[in-house]
Each structure stands twice: as structure tokens, then as C-alpha cells.
Amino acid sequence: MKIIYGADYNPEQWSKEIWLEDMKYMKEAHVNMVNLNIFGWAILEPEEGHYDFKMLDELMDLLYKNNIDVDLATATAAQPAWLSMKYDDVLPKDQSLNTIWHGSRQSYCPNSPNYRRRAIALVRKIGERYKTHPALKMWHINNEYSDHTHICYCDNCARSFRLWLESKYTLEEINERWGTSFWSQKYYHFSEIIPPRQTSADHNPGLVLDYKRFMSDSILELYLMENEILKALTPDIPISTNFMGNDNKPLDYYKWSNSIDIISWDSYPDITKTESPMNNALTHDLMRSLKQSGHILMEQAPNQVNWRKRNPNKRPGEMNTYSMQGIAHGCLGIMFFQWRQSLKGAEKFHSGMIPHNGVETRTFKEVCSLGKQLENMTPIEYKAKVAIYMDYDCWWALEYEPGPSIDMKYMDSIRSYYSYFFHHNIPVDFVFENSNLDNYDYVLAPNMYMIKESFSQTVHKYVKNGGQFILGPFSGIVDESDSVFKEGYLSTIKDLMGISVVGYDVLTHSNSISYKELTCIKWCDEIKLFTADSIADYQSDYYKETPAVTINQYGHGKSFYIGTCFNEEEMNKLLSSIITIKGIESPYNVEVITQGDHVMILNHTNIDQMFELCFFHNRSNITIKAHQTILLKK
Amino acid sequence: MKIIYGADYNPEQWSKEIWLEDMKYMKEAHVNMVNLNIFGWAILEPEEGHYDFKMLDELMDLLYKNNIDVDLATATAAQPAWLSMKYDDVLPKDQSLNTIWHGSRQSYCPNSPNYRRRAIALVRKIGERYKTHPALKMWHINNEYSDHTHICYCDNCARSFRLWLESKYTLEEINERWGTSFWSQKYYHFSEIIPPRQTSADHNPGLVLDYKRFMSDSILELYLMENEILKALTPDIPISTNFMGNDNKPLDYYKWSNSIDIISWDSYPDITKTESPMNNALTHDLMRSLKQSGHILMEQAPNQVNWRKRNPNKRPGEMNTYSMQGIAHGCLGIMFFQWRQSLKGAEKFHSGMIPHNGVETRTFKEVCSLGKQLENMTPIEYKAKVAIYMDYDCWWALEYEPGPSIDMKYMDSIRSYYSYFFHHNIPVDFVFENSNLDNYDYVLAPNMYMIKESFSQTVHKYVKNGGQFILGPFSGIVDESDSVFKEGYLSTIKDLMGISVVGYDVLTHSNSISYKELTCIKWCDEIKLFTADSIADYQSDYYKETPAVTINQYGHGKSFYIGTCFNEEEMNKLLSSIITIKGIESPYNVEVITQGDHVMILNHTNIDQMFELCFFHNRSNITIKAHQTILLKK
Amino acid sequence: MKIIYGADYNPEQWSKEIWLEDMKYMKEAHVNMVNLNIFGWAILEPEEGHYDFKMLDELMDLLYKNNIDVDLATATAAQPAWLSMKYDDVLPKDQSLNTIWHGSRQSYCPNSPNYRRRAIALVRKIGERYKTHPALKMWHINNEYSDHTHICYCDNCARSFRLWLESKYTLEEINERWGTSFWSQKYYHFSEIIPPRQTSADHNPGLVLDYKRFMSDSILELYLMENEILKALTPDIPISTNFMGNDNKPLDYYKWSNSIDIISWDSYPDITKTESPMNNALTHDLMRSLKQSGHILMEQAPNQVNWRKRNPNKRPGEMNTYSMQGIAHGCLGIMFFQWRQSLKGAEKFHSGMIPHNGVETRTFKEVCSLGKQLENMTPIEYKAKVAIYMDYDCWWALEYEPGPSIDMKYMDSIRSYYSYFFHHNIPVDFVFENSNLDNYDYVLAPNMYMIKESFSQTVHKYVKNGGQFILGPFSGIVDESDSVFKEGYLSTIKDLMGISVVGYDVLTHSNSISYKELTCIKWCDEIKLFTADSIADYQSDYYKETPAVTINQYGHGKSFYIGTCFNEEEMNKLLSSIITIKGIESPYNVEVITQGDHVMILNHTNIDQMFELCFFHNRSNITIKAHQTILLKK
């Protein structure tokens, strides 16, 4: 199976002479697929119901003739100006009900009837026209859903929200779940419920949680609406839409992944930050785990981006290293935004495979060299013995709460645990609500504020059968409606953990624990032991000498509770004492991935590195230059 | 007279089984009063004009049966969703005329006719139903007025503002008072006057000042409207509404206090800040002084709050110390928000007397112990020989000004003087526009930017008869309409102070004065002496060797002018040379209150303290633990 | 020719007794001109079409009688409240289409038909009434255009914008210039184009650039509309409007300057900043250069302003030094805001020539002394051999770009080059798109992001004929429609510079260059030499040993390219090696201006300074006190 290599291709910005040059240079770069037509709507449909496919026809044929596959986009990511002007319902509204006007991109209300109607018509037209075109190899629905418009507060959304609620709950259930006896919020009719618009103080967190679910579902409906049309027309063409990585909170990607054939995502690490290689690896692992199968790196920058405050160039080799990281973590393809750097528009200072200054540039040379390298490789099947639990409802509920502490951020907690494995070169999967945990030695839930009943059962069984479960602080507080458990924190997993958590203290300075006098920060759960033992106690404050970290034998397995937080170095020391999987030593940010008989060594740093590489029975001295990638076979 | 002890009680969030438990635990906690029905409106009035008092009847009876008094709330603090949806005028509008939507609490326009109409109807219903109920001991009108909605800019408010103005001024007077010849702002009809909505630069400060007065009055009208109904029905039941402390700027509490039977307030000190014990004492003194009689601490947190960025727990003893501080400063009662910590809603991480994890907790134990302690105490009558002048108009006018310096903040100035007395354990009262000053040795006006003619006369008489008046910098600038005095700064009090202030300089670094070389900051008034003498001169800059601090003999008394600002330590040194009242030495933040034959020692710090306590003829060694309270009799 | 001396005069805020006092004190202060009627509209037109000129008549006569000339304002800077309330179109709307309400000043939409109609009527009335009045010596149109309202997004503006576009481009040209194939932004009808209102992500930069041009032109139309009326009535009376200095970005002052008889501007340096004397000198040079003739300092503060966070006093002498700086840089007049400090309104803490505390003040004494001094002086004709190129389109285009770096600020770049000349006391002019460069030894273009074809031709010819051109980094990127040059950076000036720029790197730390190991910051262009030579190479990173600063012989002249940025000290060292004009040594911020046989020495510092002054054949020891001015003749 060949590795996909290519880019977003926007030939509508260029003359036909340039198209011919493009074909030549794509060959030089070993490009085998492009994402076409992503922003094509305004050209395809000059006025409502009148289509013009001339340019797209020509491009499809040209690409086919040049042996370049097409991941054909449905062009619904940015509606034409005429559509925004013609119908009142198309543009979204902000929290104060002010309009989000036309002029940028993705300025449509997810629940706009006219946007939906015109998108359906367009996708059907495109599907019918190209369903048998030999260049067509994949569908690219919309683009970066939720990146610019992830929420809308308009009256159409209000109406749809009420229908969404009615399909799930009675009004009595809503009053009960949201706790509307608080602050006189009781509803007597569905019509009284509105989106969480600008108001005088905090909203009801239950309503906000359900509105987040509703918005993710509304946008998912857009996807499903297109998916259904294309599946019917071309059942054998795989469909994808490009996700936005681990920082993208608005969409429940796990829920979405059921309906997507191949997961793909856009990777834009901040190259000025030390943690970016780790964070990017984490996202690859998250994306791969959504369907437990190969995924595509759908966009990355060949060199600099344009939208941060300061946008330095990638150093020589850095783009290659990030691309190889994708392959090492299971990617089926490596693609860029975009083929040719734009001369106009809001992204003209975002690099392209061919930059403003042409093909005689470092960027294009690195692009060609990577293409050649990938031609001789095949995708890697990635296996891990460690899993981290991820849940979007939990993320949403945790971070809307007024209190207890702004320091408890869901993805930060996950990163603080993931970091240990990354820096020890131990492979990690992510698991979700309904995942099978059987094959993992460790399952970690860094900040499981919400207990989902199904996962509670799964993890009980997992530990009973010999698994090891590690739970972080501020966990087990609320149920799926964001109500605190009547029966106290930890609820149904008290027996599993062998403790109860009777309270917590929020730290403005720090405390320490008795294990190696590690400094703990941010948060201290107050713990009572039942069947568990203390691994480490707090060393000061009024809860001095009470448990901070505990271990509980449960069935054939063990459960650990870590009731406090640590910085990276301290966390490293603590987890080293709990995790018995042997990692691979390497210098900081030199990543070593071993999968099957592949060994990939990625130097993510700006300096040359030397180290002794030891694993299994091998032991060899490695010298690796700054931003170099070394591929070995065991 | 017993001390009131209890909490907000929100049983509508709980099942009837829990109510019975509550009665048991309230007894255990020595609770004798609860605030009931604060957020009851949505339950009491399911649709317009249809009431359901079943639950409230049952609760009143249950509490009566259990010997728990009720401070019955009128439930108007949060209108039901149906009311917000039914009438256009109910929801307030922000400075851009965007709606503040339903979904939180206190989302009503103070001048909404429909809100007022329905609130009147509700209060009448409640008043008539419970006027003879034996549990009823106090009325609790609305809740925390102005906390979330203190201003509205809608057209109803505009109309009401014009009527408010017409009742006070002719159009000619408005043009004169506001100085509308500036920036072409002259009005020819009342209809041209609008609220200070979003505009292109600074508003007219005179208009803004009158709009603040109008808004305070509009909200006061809401109070008076309820007060009138209840007074007519139950002339013997005292009425209160809970104020929001010294940081609450929107309401002129002095003007309000005339119509309130018992002052009460909600105390939420930021326990991470060193100055909080001082600031909390200040607010007690301010609240007590409003009516010169006992007040109630109506809400405080049994442990952590939920709405700051980081919300640590109160340390063991800390809640007790803060409660005892209330008693020491004259409180009639100590109450909490709330009895039982909520499981749902926006405040579920705010502590309750019974926390999420039940009665086997430190919090509930401390609550019970305090209740028992208070049963054996009676309220203290508080007397002071020092008074600080406080005026809301002055606060409002001073802080809207464009210039001269953002460093001149009214309450910060008051705190910087109050702090001296707090740390020397010298009792302080607050005085207002119409107060009698006869019994004070010192009256201080830290930043009397506005001179009110009545107070000017009072203070002239006070000093003439032997009083000592201390005036801070940037004082005597404007009259009650915020117009600078034509006759120069200090106007009618020039004779009293014996100086003129010919200008001022705003400091970006610092200067110093000749008295002990104290460093002065923020501000330097340029002073010319008439009859006064200089106590200290500036030591550098172009006004070097001109007076910074002056003293003037006037009649039998003295007037001091302090033309600059100091940090706490330097202010301490300066005031020590002026104030001759002997305080009581104690470690920093160990407060010693002596009133009558009571001596209360409150250790507000996190460490144990030892010191020699000296007053009158007593001298004893005190050892006091962190957050401990010691009660002695002289 | 006498030097104009005076102030804004707002007698409408004062009684007639005060007017008479004013006449007396104006004489004392040597005032010879006042700006009258700036905020007079509400008084002149009490209701639509009804005028009342009584007060203005009286004032004109009074001033005439007292030999004080009048710069008569047209009073259109702030419309009366009744006008804002009467017509819907008058008030501007913000980016979310929320109204900017009445209540401050300059709250009108530049494209409001009713504002324009009433302004025209008013100006005609004023013009007709006073066209022969002997006091009238100048017209003052409006006031500080764009200071508070520089943009509006309302539907009237949208309509006008479309007409403005139609007058310049076909729809095809718009699509081409703005690059609307990017993000599906293609337009099919002019009616689809709207202002850059609140949207979901970045706007199209081409549209934003044209909207800035349109807004500058819209406000210019307001000026021209008044100008036309007054020119017809009084062809011999000069017309001015006060500009806002070098920080004012919304108006293309170069385009405006064609229609203005005498340039004037308002100078409010931040006296707490070390760079203010340099920055203020820069603005004088910019303003003078707009028309290459004398300009007026139309407003400055006699002492403190009121609108910064902290507003210290000017030190003794400081106001004089700033006034003399104006004279030294070519001013025809020195004026203040305002004559008498207001007692009311939003600027009551802005100083006046007569302060709150009267004429017995340092401020008034300094004012009188300056007036006397100016009576004995005449304006200076200013000549320079160095010119800096300034272009508003370039400024607008550069700073809207998403990327590459927020550190590239147009005026900061200009200041970093100008600073060298200021601190070496070398006179500087500014030049523009159509300026004649013949008389300059050096022309600098610090950040010429946009190449204008006409200037490209001018500068080619200039260098060919022996001129020296110095170009800064990130230059030559886009054409006048903000499209990147297809042919690569530098486009038509590649031959002139003798290099190509193949890319750039944005720095988050620093690099250095081989010339004196100077530290370079922010930005590094990657340069390839054609005919040019390298003066200095980069010393580290992947572009180590490639050129950073280059020199190219072209015809009889030379072109320098400086591909990176420096702090002031390093820039000083670099430019010293390039610029061969000999400056005059003086202590930091002691400015020495030599023009004709005038030598003016201005000590802008807070300390006394001694130095040896050397120029031509003179050499003398100078002692100059803090904020002192010394005038010498050669």
C-alpha cells in the first residue's frame, strides 16, 4: 500500500499556464494525490441553481492524465456571498445575537435551512457529475468543521435545540437533570428554553453541557447529510473530513468517527514550543485511536504558517521530522496546505510546497526529497500496551464549571500523563466510552470528572481481570448530566479504588508528598482509605499525613489514585514508580518509535544528539543531527 | 437577646426525606433561623397569576415545628423563564442595547413595568399568606440587589431617567450642571437625553453621575415597592435585604439605609489575600454605621467559594475567626450561604454547612461548634472615637473622571487610612453626609473629591468645637454636580484647612517628604499656606520644599491636610504622629477588639502567635494558635 | 511675518464678565489668534434651520476690538443632540452594527446624508455671516477628523462603498485584485459587497485595504464639502483642519494635503517616555513635508493632559522646549488647547493656559513668557538633505496582514531610522509617492512592503543620477492591490537593489551580523546577490554567512538593502557606516537644530547638561539647564 503524498490544490487562484507547470512539479515532488475544490462553491454555483463545472471538469481530467489522484472536496466549507445575502438564516449569530457577517469563511449557521438546502443540492450535483471519474479516489467533505464557527445562538438554533432536547428528554427530566430549582430556573414549556446567550452571570451548567452536545450534533448532521448523498452514489469511495487536532474542543470526534471512513487531521504545531513534538504525537495517537486504524495527516505547513503572532520558518529537516512522526504513529498519508503559496487573500503568508519565490528554494527541495523517501515506504501498523481514556462530555462539563479552580484543564491533565510515555518512548493508544480494554497493561484516566456508567463497568471488569487502572485527581464527581453524585465523590468506583474522597483543597502555592518529597501543585484531594493503601501522604497543611497517592488490589488487577498534580519532572518520578513497562532511553525530544521491526528515530531538537540506543538485545551508539530522522530495521 | 445563627435554606433542591434529615442536623448545628424562598418564584407561580404555595406551606410548618425561625424571602431576585419570554420589557439591555438574556439570575431591568407588576403581585400574595405564620420572624426582600444587574440602558430606562431628571431639575439647570456647552452637548428637550450608552469617546461626567444616582434610585424603588406592601401587612416584622459589602459601588447604601429595619450583608473575603481581615472589618464597621445599630452577617461561606479563579478551603478555625469578627464588630447574627451544598447548578462547588460529602466532615463539625459557642453569647454594642467619612456620590464622581490618574480610587484611599486603625486595634465608625460628629475625637475624609455643602458646615462646626479633621489628597475639587469650584480647590473649606491647593502633580515614580523621609507615591498636591503650618515638605522635584502635610488650628480644633499618598508602612508612621489615641499592640493581623468589658482576640494568620497584650492597666501574655479566637472579659 | 500664538477659545463655557477678563489676560500672554466656535453647533442651531448667532457675533466683535485674530471653526465636529435623535442615519455603527450613541463628540457617520446636509447648511450660514468680518483670518474646518470616529460599518457606508468601488473598478477587476477565488469569495454583483464587519475569521485583506481608502476618502469628502463652500465665499482666507500626528493611521494625510492651505496638527507627546522628543520632531517633519511649507502647531497642552492613565505635569520649561521645537522644525504658529481650563465636562482635568487655580500659577507665567519670546521671532525655513519615504496605503496593507509577524509595524520602522538622524541632529524631510527627490543626498524607505509603480520609477531615476537609496526589510512584497508580486519579492526594484530576496525568517530571539557583530532582531530576509555586494552577513542559524546588508552601485548612485532590524543603539552603529553626512554631537535628547543662521538648542531632559558644540568652524562649550531652550545665531 503506497503512502499518500500531496496537498490542498487551489488552481482556481492560478492561470492555466501555471496548471501545466504544476503537473510537472508535482511529479518532481512525487505527489500522488491532491485535495481539490475545497473552496469551489462560489465558482461552481454563480447563482442559485445555476452551476458551472467547466473548470473543475478540466482539472479533474488534467490530474487524471497526470496520474494524480483526487480527494474531491464538496466545497461546502464557504458559501458564496450571494447565498449569505439572499437568505436571512444563513449567517450565524454571536452570544449577543449580533450577526457574524460574510467576508471570511465558514460563516454559516449549522442549523440554517437555506445553507443546508443549497449544500445538499451542490453535493448531489458534484457527486453525480464525478461519481465515475477515474481520478476520484476519496471524498473530502467540507473542511475543518468548527474551526471558525463552532457555535451559533440564533433563533433557528434555539428551535432546533428544543427539538433535540425533546427527542431525548421530557420537560420533567430536563428540570431534574439541570437542577432548575436552583436560581428559579424551572421550565414549564419547551419554548422557554433558549441557547446560553449573553446573560447576567453564570449559565446553568447542565444547559451549557447539552448545548455543546447539541452543537456538535448539529455540525455532525451537516456531515451526515453530505455523507449520505455520497455513500449512495459511490459506495466504494472512502469519505473523510479533516479534523483539527487535540485542542479542538467543540466536536465530539469520538461520536463523529463512527460515520467516517478514514480519519484525517490538520497538524500545525507551534514550532517555538518545546512541548510541540509531544503534543503532536499525542494527537496522532488520539486520531489513530478513534477508529483503531490508519489515518491521514491531511494538512501541515511546508514551512512557516501565517496566523500566529510571530511565524518563524521550520528549520531544515523539521518538516521532514514532523512528517515522519506521522508515519511512525500510523499515518497512511502525508499532505500539506497547500501546493502553491497564494499571492492574495488572508493566507498569502502561509507557506506552500512551492513558495512565493518558486522552486529554487529550500522548501521545495525538502518537499521533493520527502516525496521520494515516502515512495519507498509503507504504512506502519501501530500497537500499544498503554491506553489513556478520553471523553468529550467530561471535557465540556469540567471546563464550564464556575469553580473550583481554573487550573484543572482536561487536555492539560491528559498531556501531563501522556508526556511520561512520550519521553520514555512507550507507545500509547487512546480509549473511549465503549472501547475494549483487554489488550492494555495500563489504562489511565487523568481527570475523569464525569463517570459514565458504561465505562465504569468496563473498567471494573478490566481491573478484575488483571488490568491496572490509574485515576487522576478531581475524578468521579458528576454523572452524565453534570450532577454531583448524591452518594459522594467516586460513586460507583469507590470499591474499585478502595478509597473515598471526602473533599479537596485548591492550591495557590504548593505542597509535597512523602514519596521522594515530590512537590505537588494545583490540587489536593482529601482521601480516606478503605481497602487501598497509601503510597504517599501529603507532607504539610491541615491534611498532612493523609493519603495523596493510593494503590488498591481489586480482583486480579490494581487501581491507583493520584489525588494531586505535578509538573513534568515530578510526574516522571512518580509514574516511574508505578509503571513497570520498560521504555527506551533517549535525549529529551529525541523520539524513538519501535513498531514491528521498524525503528524510527526523530530528533525534534535544534542540536545534534549522541546517545546509546538500547532495546531488547540491541545496543548501539546513535549520532543524529538536528531535525534529522533515522530509520532502522531491528 | 440571642444571636441569630443559620443559613440560606433551599429545600426545593432536595427530596422530603432530606428535609427531615435537615431538621435533625439543624438542631445539631444549633441553627435558629433560615432564609427561605430566595429563589422560589418559578415554583410559586407556574404561570402568570396562578400560584402554588404547597411546598412553601409545608416548609414553613416543618420549620416552625422544629423551632426554627424563618427570614422569609420575597423571591423576586430571579423571575421565572416564562416571564422573561412573555414580555419584551423584562430583560435588561447592555451599553450597546444588546439584550441580557434569561438563563442566569437577576436578569431583569429595574424599570421594567412587567417585572414590577408581577413582583408586586407575588409579594402581596406571599405577604398575605404568611403574615400570621408563627415561623415568620423577618422579611428578606429580593436578594443581593445590583450584584449581577446594576445598570440597564434600555428605552424604558431612558424614559424613566428623563422623568427622574424632570422631578429634580429644569432643562436649563441640567445644561448648567452638566456643562453642556462643552462638546456641543446642549439639550433643548428632555427627549434628547439618553442613558450613557456606547459612544465614541468619554461621556459627559455630569450625566454619568446622575445616571448612577438614577440607577441606584431605580433599584431602591424596587425595594420600596416591596417594603411598602410588607409594612402594611406586618408592621411588626423587621425587614432587611442583604447588601454586598464595601466593594459594591452601584447602590448608595446610605440613602437606602433609611428604609431598612436591619442592615445585613454578605461577606466573602478573599482568603488568599493578607488584607482581607482588615477589609472585612472595614465592611462590618461601614454596615453597622449605616444605621448605628446592630447588623446581620447574612451570608458567608462555611468553607470554599466557587467563583474565584482558584478557590482554596478555609483553614481549620478560619470560618470561626471570621464569624467572631462579625460578632466583635456588632453583628446580631451569623448566617451562611447555604445550608446544604447543591448537587447541580452554577454554585455546586460553593461549600455548604453540609458539604457534598456529608456530615462526617470538618466543615460540618466546625459549623456545629460555632453554633454551640454562639448560643452562649449576646450581641456587643460597638463604640468608636474615630470616624471616616464615606459618600457614594463622591465615589461615583471621582472614578468616572477622565484623568488625572487611575491611581486615585475612592475605596483604596479609605482603606489606606482605615488600615492604620485596624492594625492598631482602634475602633472606627463611618459617618455620612448627615451624621452627628459630636462624639468623635477624629474625623477623616481620605479623598473627599466632592464637597457636599451640608457636610462642609457640619465639619466646620465639629472642628470649631474642638474636633480634629484629617483630609486626604485630591479633595475639595467639585460640587455636587461634579463641577470644579470656580473659586478654586477646597472652596468653602479653605478657611478650615488654612491652605489653598494651587495644583497637583501625578507621580509615575515617587517623591519623599521631610517628616522621617517618608516615601510618597501616586499624587502630590501643590499647597500654599494661609493660616496653616507645614508638618512636612516635599523633598524633591520642582515643588521641593513646599508643604506636603499641614496642620491648622481652627476654633478649638485642628485640621490636617495630607496632600499625598503612602503605602501602608509609611502611612502608619505618618498617622502615628498625628493620631494621639493609644491603640493596642498586636502582631500583624492578630485583631484585638475591646468593647465594654469584652476582649476578643482573633488570629487571622496561618501561624501561632505569642505577644504581650497591654491595655488600661492590664498586661498579659497571650498565646494564640493559627485561626484561633480567644474571648476574654476585662 | 509674526508667529501665531494662541489657543482654542471656548467662551460659551463662561460668563461675559470672564470674557472681559480673558481679553485682558490674552494681552498679558501676547495671544494674537484664537480658534473660535469649535463646538458651537448646538448653540448656533437650536432647532433644525433656526440659527442664533448672537453670542458668536458678540465674540467676534470683542476679539476684533482687542486685536485678536480669529481662526473661525465651522462647528461641525460635534452635531447637536437633536440632530442625532431626529434622523436614523446620523449615528455611526460599529463592527457588529451596534449604534455608537450620542453623548460624547464626533459621533456621526461620515456617509450620513442628514449629517452632511445639515453641516453644509451650517457652514454656508457661518461663511456668509462672517466672510467680511475683520477678525476672520483663517478657517478651521471641523476638528481632529477621525480621532474618535474613523470608521463606520452601517448600510449607508456599505452603499457608498459600492459606489466608490464602481467608480474605480469593474466587478472583474475587484475579483482579480482582491483574489476572491481564495475562500470562495467571488462576487457576482456589487450588492454582495459589504464592509468588513464582524466575521468568523480574517477578512480579505484587499477588501480591508480598499475599505480603509474608502473611509479616508469619505472623511475627506466631508472636508472638501466644507472647503468648497468657504473657498467660494472667501477665496483669500486660508483654510486648515487640525491633523492628529504620526500615530493617526485612518487618514491618508498626503492625499488630503492637496486641498488644505496650511497644514496644522495637535501635539500631545507622552512626557513620561524618553522617545517623545524624537517622535514629536518626526511628526513636525512629516507635517511640514506634506506641503513643503510652514505648518501650525494647532494644539498642545499648557501643562498636563487628562486622558492618559496617569497625567503628570510638564516640568518647568518643558512646555517652552516643546513649543520651540515646533518653531525649529518650521512652525508658523504655536497654539494650545485651551485658553481657560474647563470646570465641567470630560476634559476638565486637561490643563488650560489659565488653570483652575487662576493666573497666579506657574502655568500662566510660562504661557506669558513664551508669548513674549515668540513676538521677537519669525518662522524658520527648514531644509534637509535626507528624506524618508512615507505611504499610507503601505502602512494600511502591511498592518492588516495575518502574518508574518506582529513585530513589523510601519511607523516603528520609520521611527527606528528617523531616530538616527534626530540623535545626530541631521535634518530630515518626508517624501511621498509623487515627491521630487532631486535635492536629497539620501532617501530611506524603512519598510516599503508595497511598491508603488510611480515611486519605483522616481527612485530608479534618483539613484541613477547619483542619489543614495536605503531600503529596509520586508520590502517590495506586494503591489497596490496588496497582491504579492508573481515575479518574486522586490519585483521592479530587483535591478536597483542588485539582489533578490528569496524568503525571510521571523525571529523569536535574535541573530547577529558580521559588521561589528551587531545584534539583529525581529526579522531576517534571506538574500541572494546579483550585482550587489554584501556589507554584512548573518552569523548564525541556517542562513549563516548569507547576506544581511548589501550595497549596489546603480548608475551614479548607490542602493543599500538592510534585511533585518536593530534596536536603537545597534541601528546607530550600522547607519554610521552608511551615512556620510556629518551630524552634530550632543547629549542624548539634547536637540540641536541649525537652519540658515539659526541655532536652537533644546534640552529635552530633566537634568542640566554640558557639552562641546561643534559645527562648521564653530566650537563652543554649552551649559543648558533641564528643559531649557537656547537660541543662537551662527
Side-chain angles (χ1 to χ4, degrees), chain A residues 63-82:
Chain A
L63 287 160
Y64 179 65
K65 213 175 67 188
N66 284 277
N67 286 315
I68 294 166
D69 294 341
V70 173
D71 178 24
L72 186 58
T74 57
T76 53
Q79 77 276 14
W82 61 255

Side-chain angles (χ1 to χ4, degrees), chain A residues 225-240:
Chain A
M225 163 187 109
E226 298 195 21
N227 186 66
E228 189 186 7
I229 296 166
L230 298 176
K231 269 293 166 228
L233 291 168
T234 58
D236 298 330
I237 301 289
I239 300 179
S240 188

Side-chain angles (χ1 to χ4, degrees), chain A residues 12-14 39-47 75 78-82 85 94 98-107 148-149 272 303-316 337-338 341-350 355-357 360-362, chain C residues 95-98 162 175-179 181-188 191-195 197-205 401-407 449 474 477-478 481-489 501-508 526 528 541-543:
Chain A
E12 62 275 16
Q13 297 175 24
W14 303 91
F39 292 104
W41 194 344
I43 289 170
L44 293 178
E45 192 176 2
E47 62 179 303
Q79 77 276 14
W82 61 255
M85 299 300 279
D94 70 13
N98 288 313
T99 299
I100 309 292
W101 291 89
H102 198 91
S104 179
R105 64 160 165 152
Q106 207 179 76
S107 307
H148 298 302
T149 302
T272 65
N303 197 340
Q304 79 281 7
V305 298
N306 69 304
W307 39 267
R308 290 198 176 88
K309 289 183 177 171
R310 294 171 186 84
N311 301 283
N313 288 340
K314 289 183 176 171
R315 304 296 101 174
F337 178 84
Q338 60 178 336
Q341 187 170 4
S342 298
L343 300 178
K344 302 171 189 184
E347 293 185 336
K348 62 173 165 290
F349 292 111
H350 186 112
H356 283 160
N357 287 286
E360 294 301 316
T361 45
R362 173 170 72 87
Chain C
Q95 216 163 355
S96 298
L97 286 199
N98 288 313
R162 288 176 204 124
N175 281 319
E176 173 59 24
R177 291 172 68 93
W178 296 355
S181 39
F182 179 78
W183 283 359
S184 185
Q185 297 176 336
K186 190 168 179 185
Y187 297 106
Y188 292 96
S191 63
E192 293 158 21
I193 300 174
I194 55 173
R197 293 174 182 163
Q198 164 178 257
T199 185
S200 46
D202 292 308
H203 277 283
N204 183 301
E401 290 313 322
S405 169
I406 56 159
D407 291 330
Y449 169 72
F474 199 35
I477 309 297
V478 299
S481 64
D482 193 34
S483 299
V484 173
F485 292 111
K486 274 200 197 74
E487 60 276 16
Y489 301 156
V501 172
V502 296
Y504 53 79
D505 189 33
V506 169
L507 303 192
T508 51
E526 298 182 38
K528 278 199 188 159
D541 220 320
Y542 67 88
Y543 39 89

Side-chain angles (χ1 to χ4, degrees), chain A residues 103-230:
Chain A
S104 179
R105 64 160 165 152
Q106 207 179 76
S107 307
Y108 53 80
C109 163
N111 290 295
S112 158
N114 281 300
Y115 170 80
R116 289 187 174 200
R117 185 174 58 81
R118 295 315 311 157
I120 287 170
L122 178 71
V123 174
R124 184 161 292 133
K125 277 278 176 195
I126 293 173
E128 280 165 359
R129 190 167 195 94
Y130 299 109
K131 65 184 172 186
T132 57
H133 197 288
L136 175 69
K137 289 289 151 53
M138 181 149 60
W139 288 112
H140 186 293
I141 288 186
N142 201 285
N143 185 59
E144 296 187 340
Y145 275 120
S146 86
D147 190 31
H148 298 302
T149 302
H150 67 272
I151 198 159
C152 173
Y153 299 88
C154 78
D155 286 339
N156 273 322
C157 285
R159 271 188 290 276
S160 300
F161 182 42
R162 288 176 203 125
L163 293 173
W164 184 91
L165 289 170
E166 285 195 69
S167 76
K168 289 188 144 37
Y169 319 122
T170 64
L171 203 54
E172 288 65 38
E173 284 166 346
I174 288 173
N175 281 317
E176 173 60 24
R177 291 173 68 95
W178 297 354
T180 58
S181 39
F182 180 79
W183 282 0
S184 185
Q185 297 176 335
K186 190 168 179 184
Y187 298 105
Y188 290 96
H189 298 282
F190 274 100
S191 63
E192 293 159 21
I193 301 174
I194 55 173
R197 294 174 181 162
Q198 165 177 259
T199 186
S200 46
D202 293 306
H203 277 282
N204 182 301
L207 179 147
V208 171
L209 175 57
D210 271 330
Y211 204 73
K212 284 187 189 296
R213 286 167 170 148
F214 160 70
M215 267 295 148
S216 176
D217 283 358
S218 297
I219 300 174
L220 178 54
E221 273 183 21
L222 297 182
Y223 175 83
L224 292 174
M225 163 187 109
E226 298 195 21
N227 186 66
E228 189 186 7
I229 296 166
L230 298 176

Side-chain angles (χ1 to χ4, degrees), chain C residues 248-249 251-254 286 390-397:
Chain C
N248 193 59
K249 190 172 156 188
L251 303 184
D252 182 342
Y253 283 152
Y254 179 61
L286 175 62
M390 164 86 191
D391 183 63
Y392 286 85
D393 287 319
C394 181
W395 187 2
W396 296 338

Side-chain angles (χ1 to χ4, degrees), chain B residues 81 132 238 325 548:
Chain B
T132 57
Q325 187 186 48

Side-chain angles (χ1 to χ4, degrees), chain B residues 570-583:
Chain B
E570 311 279 310
M571 180 62 109
N572 181 27
K573 290 180 192 163
L574 180 65
L575 287 182
S576 293
S577 78
I578 293 178
I579 306 290
T580 58
I581 296 179
K582 205 171 160 326

Side-chain angles (χ1 to χ4, degrees), chain B residues 266-458:
Chain B
D266 298 351
S267 164
Y268 291 104
D270 183 343
I271 57 172
T272 66
K273 292 193 174 161
T274 313
E275 67 269 27
S276 292
M278 179 276 288
N279 193 48
N280 207 58
L282 187 162
T283 317
H284 276 300
D285 291 343
L286 175 62
M287 291 293 134
R288 183 195 61 246
S289 300
L290 285 171
K291 292 191 81 74
Q292 295 277 49
S293 65
H295 62 294
I296 296 175
L297 176 46
M298 190 60 94
E299 289 186 20
Q300 67 171 338
N303 196 341
Q304 79 279 6
V305 300
N306 69 305
W307 39 266
R308 291 199 175 88
K309 288 183 180 173
R310 293 171 189 85
N311 301 284
N313 287 339
K314 290 183 177 170
R315 303 297 100 175
E318 193 164 9
M319 179 274 283
N320 188 284
T321 317
Y322 269 116
S323 303
M324 285 301 163
Q325 187 186 48
I327 298 297
H329 285 264
C331 278
L332 307 177
I334 301 295
M335 304 190 79
F336 295 96
F337 177 82
Q338 62 179 329
W339 168 248
R340 201 179 262 276
Q341 186 169 5
S342 298
L343 300 178
K344 303 171 189 181
E347 293 185 335
K348 61 174 166 286
F349 292 111
H350 186 112
S351 57
M353 292 167 84
I354 299 183
H356 283 160
N357 288 285
V359 293
E360 294 300 317
T361 46
R362 172 170 73 88
T363 304
F364 188 67
K365 280 169 197 161
E366 294 195 25
V367 154
C368 293
S369 148
L370 173 62
K372 192 173 171 187
Q373 200 176 0
L374 293 176
E375 260 185 1
N376 299 315
M377 297 174 72
T378 49
I380 285 168
E381 202 184 342
Y382 196 91
K383 300 278 182 197
K385 303 301 287 177
V386 171
I388 294 179
Y389 174 63
M390 163 87 193
D391 182 63
Y392 285 85
D393 286 319
C394 180
W395 187 1
W396 296 338
L398 173 72
E399 293 186 5
Y400 183 73
E401 290 313 321
S405 168
I406 56 158
D407 291 330
M408 299 308 276
K409 297 283 180 206
Y410 191 68
M411 285 308 303
D412 285 352
S413 298
I414 286 184
R415 278 184 207 107
S416 82
Y417 283 77
Y418 180 89
S419 174
Y420 172 81
F421 300 99
F422 177 80
H423 291 298
H424 290 78
N425 298 300
I426 299 171
V428 171
D429 276 348
F430 281 80
V431 288
F432 309 92
E433 203 174 337
N434 303 313
S435 296
N436 182 345
L437 308 182
D438 291 353
N439 294 321
Y440 298 109
D441 292 345
Y442 292 91
V443 172
L444 295 94
N447 188 179
M448 198 176 71
Y449 169 71
M450 177 184 289
I451 297 183
K452 289 192 165 174
E453 196 38 41
S454 61
F455 189 74
S456 167
Q457 290 173 17
T458 303

